[in-house]
Amino acid sequence: MHVHHVNLVLDSLRRDPDALLGAWWSLTDVANAVAATGAQCTVFQAFWTDAVRQMNGVTYRFVADPPVDAPVSVRIRALRRPRRLLAALASSGPNVVHVHGLAFPVQ
């Protein structure tokens, strides 16, 4: 089973991927718990640039969406459409998708 964990919150401090994973413990704790069951877990994180990290058997895909050159108001508003992130998610063939948080009901 392949579980996808999606977080659409952009880090306003613009930390690098490793610093973000260290600071946002709930993101890594949930993913680690899923991986501990034997399921494959991939986290899709809205981010300022594209990056990939592997940690504790979990793949973290940081997806710049909207693009870095978009105005700040577009990048942080709750009603934005994260097209690149959703396309990456759909193309990776999840069995289960979990969206982290309740702040993005439209997406």
Side-chain angles (χ1 to χ4, degrees):
M1 173 165 309
H2 195 172
V3 178
H4 287 19
H5 181 116
V6 179
N7 189 16
L8 299 171
V9 176
L10 280 165
D11 178 30
S12 63
L13 299 178
R14 293 182 174 231
R15 289 172 273 212
D16 66 58
D18 299 313
L20 184 74
L21 292 174
W24 288 9
W25 55 267
S26 64
L27 186 68
T28 56
D29 283 358
V30 171
N32 290 340
V34 170
T37 69
Q40 181 182 359
C41 184
T42 302
V43 174
F44 287 81
Q45 172 64 52
F47 206 63
W48 304 101
T49 59
D50 291 332
V52 177
R53 297 291 188 273
Q54 293 279 338
M55 188 171 68
N56 299 323
V58 177
T59 300
Y60 293 87
R61 291 187 59 185
F62 297 86
V63 182
D65 196 0
V68 174
D69 59 350
V72 171
S73 61
V74 171
R75 291 191 307 249
I76 62 174
R77 65 187 169 106
L79 296 178
R80 66 186 166 83
R81 295 289 301 184
R83 288 180 176 89
R84 288 189 69 236
L85 189 146
L86 295 175
L89 174 69
S91 70
S92 62
N95 298 108
V96 176
V97 175
H98 165 75
V99 178
H100 189 78
L102 300 173
F104 296 93
V106 173
Q107 290 76 1

